[in-house]
Amino acid sequence: MAEIRATKRLDITGDCCPITFVKTKLALEEMQPGEILEVLLAEGEPLNNVPRSLKFEGHKIHQVRKVGPNIYSLLVERGEDQ
Amino acid sequence: MTPDFHELKKGGFIKQQGPGLFLMRLRTIGGHLTARDLENLAKVATEYGRGEVHLTTRQGVEIPGVRLEDYQALIEEIKALNLLPGACGPRVRSIVACPGKEVCPNGVLDTREMTREIDRAFFGREVPVKFKIAVAACFNACTKPRENDVGLQGIVYPELVAERCRLCGLCQSICPGGAIKIIDEKVTINRQKCYGDGACIASCPTSAWVEAARGFVVFVGGKMGRNPRLGYKMFDFVPEDEVIPLIDSILTVFEQKRKGQERLADTVKRLGPELFRQLVSFPGPGEALRKANMAR
């Protein structure tokens, strides 16, 4: 698979739900459809909730990678406007 | 004419503390009220009560401070406004439910439709003692199904469409039971560890996890009050269309086997959960579960 490069990076590892998703949603709203956002988030509740909410809102998750002991990186393509 | 208090109680009209005062108990279907219902409740509570309501523990609404002589007019107004009378005494009480998958991100089943069906089939049915039913849309069990005579807990079993999977590992990381493991670049699932919470289906970025079977875990014989007891997990998987006949059979067995004024919890304990289960008519988890390779 070709490497996907993010144009923006968001670190929500210090936030708790639902702020995690709110920050991700706001970051994506400032981007254009097709652009890629890298989100760093903690496992547990954020990892359980953020990907499913992104999928529900029509964004596309390209990659989920463990990058630290409890930290994951998501590569998210901003979807079309609803 | 002396009113028949037994008849009044059936319709949710209950004597309250204070001379000549009653409360009118209304029910909801799984706690759902429209904005218009709330406006109408406010109107009725102001006109017939003292301008206040009490939210009951079973998601109903009680209007205190109603006078007996106003009962007939009040009940006619309630009917005209499409509000629903509640019940008291030895009968099936209002059905409690969580918002379900229509609203809750964790919900895996439509509790509103299920609750409507259960209400239609059983609400107000005369039984020897009170009988309570609760519906939860997922294994978080917010409506506490195990504390009810019959409790339903939504469950969904996943199935992998392997060609869609990109081995991102998200499902393995979020699976609460640790059922999903990626071994040698292959996704595996241990069915015995699957909680049926549907997290993998909801989150999978490529929709590789899909729904294979959907239904309820059914708990039987729970109660609270003076001698609380948690219900037995009696049926691991009941498809949605089997729920009504199953509850009907549980009620029938209870009516036949109960002694005196005992609650279902006491009947089940006296007979033993396994014997009670054998007496209940249930055709089994069905083809859906066998196809999903979930038969236990």
Side-chain angles (χ1 to χ4, degrees):
Chain A
M1 193 170 69
E3 194 188 346
I4 301 164
R5 294 183 70 87
T7 53
K8 193 171 176 179
R9 195 172 199 238
L10 177 70
D11 185 345
I12 52 169
T13 50
D15 296 299
C16 59
C17 291
I19 300 301
T20 45
F21 177 63
V22 172
K23 282 191 174 177
T24 311
K25 183 176 162 67
L26 291 175
L28 285 163
E29 278 175 6
E30 288 170 2
M31 298 168 72
Q32 295 299 312
E35 273 192 280
I36 304 288
L37 171 71
E38 180 179 16
V39 186
L40 289 175
L41 76 173
E43 69 178 4
E45 210 173 340
L47 189 66
N48 290 345
N49 295 337
V50 174
R52 73 161 70 184
S53 300
L54 288 170
K55 183 181 170 185
F56 187 76
E57 299 246 332
H59 304 295
K60 191 172 174 185
I61 299 171
H62 284 281
Q63 195 181 81
V64 183
R65 214 159 33 99
K66 194 166 187 175
V67 292
N70 301 308
I71 308 293
Y72 283 77
S73 155
L74 303 183
L75 286 181
V76 189
E77 180 182 326
R78 190 221 200 261
E80 298 293 326
D81 284 326
Q82 302 295 304
Chain B
M1 187 183 77
T2 310
D4 181 343
F5 289 113
H6 186 67
E7 280 303 308
L8 291 176
K9 219 173 166 185
K10 266 190 200 175
F13 201 62
I14 303 158
K15 182 78 187 80
Q16 73 165 67
Q17 292 209 24
L21 292 176
F22 289 76
L23 62 89
M24 182 72 214
R25 178 179 289 175
L26 301 169
R27 79 183 192 279
T28 63
I29 309 283
H32 184 75
L33 287 167
T34 64
R36 176 57 55 88
D37 291 334
L38 289 171
E39 284 173 12
N40 289 335
L41 278 167
K43 177 176 173 286
V44 172
T46 305
E47 209 173 315
Y48 293 91
R50 52 192 193 205
E52 65 182 50
V53 300
H54 170 73
L55 302 179
T56 77
T57 45
R58 294 198 69 78
Q59 300 179 329
V61 177
E62 285 175 352
I63 301 168
V66 179
R67 285 172 313 181
L68 183 59
E69 56 266 35
D70 291 337
Y71 173 72
Q72 209 53 46
L74 171 60
I75 202 75
E76 274 163 27
E77 183 137 10
I78 281 168
K79 276 184 198 160
L81 295 171
N82 289 321
L83 296 170
L84 305 167
C88 192
R91 45 193 63 85
V92 176
R93 303 295 183 84
S94 59
I95 322 300
V96 172
C98 67
K101 76 170 188 178
E102 191 193 9
V103 173
C104 177
N106 296 316
V108 297
L109 272 98
D110 180 353
T111 52
R112 261 172 80 177
E113 185 49 38
M114 189 78 259
T115 308
R116 209 173 286 131
E117 281 183 41
I118 297 172
D119 181 273
R120 205 179 295 132
F122 302 112
F123 172 76
R125 177 161 154 178
E126 305 270 336
V127 270
V129 289
K130 66 173 92 166
F131 197 94
K132 297 177 176 179
I133 302 170
V135 185
C138 77
F139 83 134
N140 290 332
C142 293
T143 44
K144 304 173 179 67
R146 296 188 79 157
E147 295 177 4
N148 285 256
D149 293 274
V150 170
L152 310 180
Q153 191 174 301
I155 192 162
V156 60
Y157 287 124
E159 182 175 55
L160 187 74
V161 181
E163 58 268 27
R164 291 186 196 158
C165 177
R166 290 202 311 249
L167 293 170
C168 71
L170 179 61
C171 53
Q172 177 180 249
S173 303
I174 63 169
C175 179
I180 300 173
K181 297 276 178 230
I182 298 177
I183 301 165
D184 296 333
E185 298 206 337
K186 197 166 179 260
V187 180
T188 64
I189 180 163
N190 180 340
R191 297 288 185 186
Q192 303 304 316
K193 289 185 177 178
C194 178
Y195 285 3
D197 66 304
C200 51
I201 300 168
S203 298
C204 180
T206 59
S207 300
W209 283 110
V210 296
E211 181 184 305
R214 185 169 56 162
F216 290 97
V217 175
V218 176
F219 298 97
V220 179
K223 65 169 184 172
M224 294 309 285
R226 285 169 226 163
N227 299 299
R229 195 168 307 131
L230 292 179
Y232 295 94
K233 187 181 182 182
M234 208 170 270
F235 301 93
D236 281 342
F237 184 88
V238 179
E240 287 166 289
D241 57 359
E242 287 293 334
V243 166
I244 300 295
L246 177 71
I247 297 176
D248 190 49
S249 180
I250 290 169
L251 276 162
T252 303
V253 173
F254 173 48
E255 284 162 339
Q256 289 166 351
K257 298 294 177 186
R258 61 143 188 133
K259 278 187 178 169
Q261 295 303 301
E262 68 184 8
R263 292 277 302 272
L264 175 61
D266 304 309
T267 309
V268 172
K269 191 186 174 200
R270 183 167 48 76
L271 295 175
E274 192 45 46
L275 176 58
F276 189 89
R277 187 189 193 282
Q278 285 167 17
L279 295 170
V280 172
S281 163
F282 177 56
E287 195 56 28
L289 200 55
R290 279 191 286 278
K291 274 187 187 160
N293 195 24
M294 286 301 306
R296 294 168 189 226

